[in-house]
Amino acid sequence: MQGETAAIRISDSEGKLDVYTPNRTPSSGRGSSKSWQYSDHMENIDGYLMKYTNLVTGWQYRFFVLNNEAGLLEYFVNEQSRPQKPRGTLPLAGAVISPSDEDSHTFTVNAISGEQYKLRDAGSVIDRPVGGSLVYEGSGSSPLSQRRSSQNPASFFSLSQHSTGSSLYASKRSLLPDHLVDAREMMSQAQGQHRDLIQTIEGLPAAPGLSPLDQDLLLLKATSMATLSCLNDCFHILQLQQVARQKGPLGGPTIEWLGPKLPDILKNGSALPCLDGGDGKTDAASLERLEVEPCDFAREQEDIDPEDEVEDTFTDEEDDLGAVEEERSVILHLLSQLKLGMDLTRVVLPTVILEKRSLLEMYADFMLHPDLLVAVSDGAGPEERMVSFVEYYLTSFHEGRRGAVAKKPYNPIIGESFHCSWRVPRSRPPPEGGPHSPDGCLLRFVAEQVSHHPPVSGFYAECPERRLCVNTHVWTKSKFMGMSIGVSMVGEGCLYLMEHGEEYTFTLPCAYARSILTVPWVELGGKVTVSCAKTGYSAAITFQTKPFYGGKLHKVTAEVKHNSTNAVVCRVQGEWNGALEFSYSNGDTRVVDVTKLPVTKKRVRPIEQQGPYESRRLWQHVTESLRQKDMDKATEHKRHLEERQRTEERHRTETETPWRTRYFEREGEGWVYHKPLWKTASSNP
């Protein structure tokens, strides 16, 4: 078996995983067994793949190494830089590898830490499987720990059509709807083995040697319990899938993995309850409430007068689980129709999981500590200003979440906007002759949904008195990850300090809704960067997702350094929603508790003074129905808005009318506010 290489195949006809060696046919030798099989001696694999970085950078050619000894997927700029430190590493233990819906050459590797690599093999033709996914369970001691390095990139994950051979399950029929009884019997056996394990551990004598309180044994008990809990949830989903398939049988002999076809309940809300009396006729009053002004494509930008804005009184917290519990069956039915790695952008999610604000307003709520943002320009030097901006960045996410329960904000419709402002107490006298307000520094904010597919938002904030502004564009990509939903915030922002001639470019972390079957909660994950080209200072920030066992929730670390000298000037560690400790190179330390920072309420115009496409006026009927816990009405109001958006999009397509944004303009791969401070200030000295 020396020199043989195991390849992984996902059957297109059965949606199953097969493992075989290249010099054997899948139906002969070891390849025909009923379980996972690997060759006895396998070494590392390396080769070139295309790696997607972000919306701005796009795809990049990188040299990858599948390091089976360490259980890591590593990549380098090129093969010549392999002796150096890898540009990035991804732990593969427990990772999920999913083919992409985009094309047959693209797939994603999702680590349990929350990190994700989107990769493409540009040099091979790969047949895309139907709804397939792969869970990598290798480790340093697994049979996957040796592979030859002479294989091409396609041999990382070889996908092809194959209807016979070995299967992930002991029986080919175990996932068939008519044979869930087999799976139930296996579950019963597993539960019995779990009970035997617990009894054996608890029956150990309390001796100085191995005892029931041994740390490894306690971990083993927890692992067994967590595994059974997860299997029970999965089995419940399969039962719901069986019901769905009995209502609508699949066409043809193909067996799909968790049914990629969506049921009617997910298609534009067509099967959701309507505001009618049961005879199919909608009440006239209901229709009147649903009417929203049509979009005026030729409308001009509206200048918002800050004097019209009043302090926000919106105080709804998203801590109520009652409606979620009542609609648990709807959520389970939704999960039964999804597959791992599936893009949720076009999936209509149940109204019950919505929170009472638009995504555009959520971006504004990340700025509820405006005093920290304005104070960045007060730094005595470039080092202090970089550390100050990192402090503002790390403290901004806590207030952006509303309540302990994770819910989803409204998806903004194209053309939607949100406006607000803050009055920030002055830390220094205003400049003579410059713009200023007697109530403090004025910080204004505007956000607009500039694109529908893909969903891209632009938001901008400026403080003319302090001569600073922030411009950001974000493309939100949500994916189904089993018992959680991951949202990648692709894009970047830039803080402009015109007083110092500095620009601070930054990226955003990923967000995850965990435990979506019980009490959902939010976790941030991934690596982000902050850099200033003029000063040479940068910051690397890592939002760490909680390990499966042990570890703390919401942990974040950061390192600020001067690039030319590679000297670290400040380190940060703690929790992004708790205490953060700043340690400086001179030995000083400082602790910031984000839960005790003062919150400045935003100022918003009353709904009756807002334009028809401003967020709160646009979604007012959905919000009010959610407050009254009337999910039927909320669903119908939401469906009306979404259907109107689709109608207008069809009209633009038929008339070949391009969409005109209101406040943001396209620049390269990004979006920029149409009247940024760096332009208006230079034209009006």
Side-chain angles (χ1 to χ4, degrees), residues 367-501:
M367 304 185 69
L368 293 184
H369 301 306
D371 52 321
L372 295 181
L373 176 61
V374 171
V376 174
S377 62
D378 291 336
E383 175 183 323
E384 185 176 337
R385 289 192 289 273
M386 174 60 78
V387 174
S388 295
F389 180 65
V390 170
E391 178 180 347
Y392 163 74
Y393 184 94
L394 292 177
T395 57
S396 64
F397 296 99
H398 171 62
E399 289 300 330
R401 293 307 315 160
R402 180 171 288 164
V405 178
K407 290 191 176 182
K408 181 184 178 300
Y410 310 140
N411 283 335
I413 70 171
I414 190 168
E416 179 182 336
S417 64
F418 182 80
H419 303 261
C420 67
S421 65
W422 294 268
R423 304 284 186 176
V424 186
R426 289 190 177 89
S427 58
R428 64 186 184 188
E432 294 184 4
H436 65 274
S437 168
D439 301 328
C441 299
L442 176 65
L443 181 65
R444 302 179 64 179
F445 176 92
V446 58
E448 179 183 8
Q449 189 71 8
V450 297
S451 172
H452 181 48
H453 291 301
V456 180
S457 308
F459 58 92
Y460 172 85
E462 68 175 23
C463 182
E465 180 178 323
R466 304 304 296 272
R467 300 182 65 202
L468 66 82
C469 61
V470 181
N471 189 95
T472 308
H473 65 273
V474 183
W475 172 19
T476 54
K477 298 182 64 177
S478 55
K479 288 196 174 184
F480 178 63
M481 301 174 63
M483 293 300 108
S484 62
I485 293 176
V487 180
S488 300
M489 292 188 282
V490 183
E492 68 175 17
C494 187
L495 168 67
Y496 298 84
L497 300 182
M498 300 172 58
E499 181 180 348
H500 306 286

Side-chain angles (χ1 to χ4, degrees), residues 661-677:
T661 54
R662 193 171 188 180
Y663 298 102
F664 288 80
E665 300 172 347
R666 186 72 179 260
E667 282 195 9
E669 295 295 328
W671 293 84
V672 178
Y673 186 61
H674 71 113
K675 292 192 297 185
L677 190 61

Side-chain angles (χ1 to χ4, degrees), residues 242-316:
Q242 179 184 14
V243 174
R245 286 181 171 175
Q246 287 174 344
K247 292 180 179 179
L250 295 174
T254 301
I255 299 173
E256 299 175 352
W257 184 282
L258 290 184
K261 296 181 180 178
L262 297 178
D264 290 340
I265 195 170
L266 304 179
K267 295 180 180 177
N268 307 330
S270 58
L272 292 172
C274 299
L275 297 178
D276 57 49
D279 55 1
K281 297 181 180 180
T282 304
D283 180 52
S286 300
L287 279 176
E288 184 179 353
R289 291 194 300 270
L290 288 172
E291 284 300 321
V292 182
E293 296 86 339
C295 178
D296 178 11
F297 298 115
R299 66 195 187 281
E300 298 298 328
Q301 294 88 0
E302 180 182 7
D303 291 327
I304 307 299
D305 187 352
E307 298 302 323
D308 294 337
E309 297 175 329
V310 296
E311 187 172 287
D312 189 20
T313 58
F314 192 92
T315 58
D316 290 333

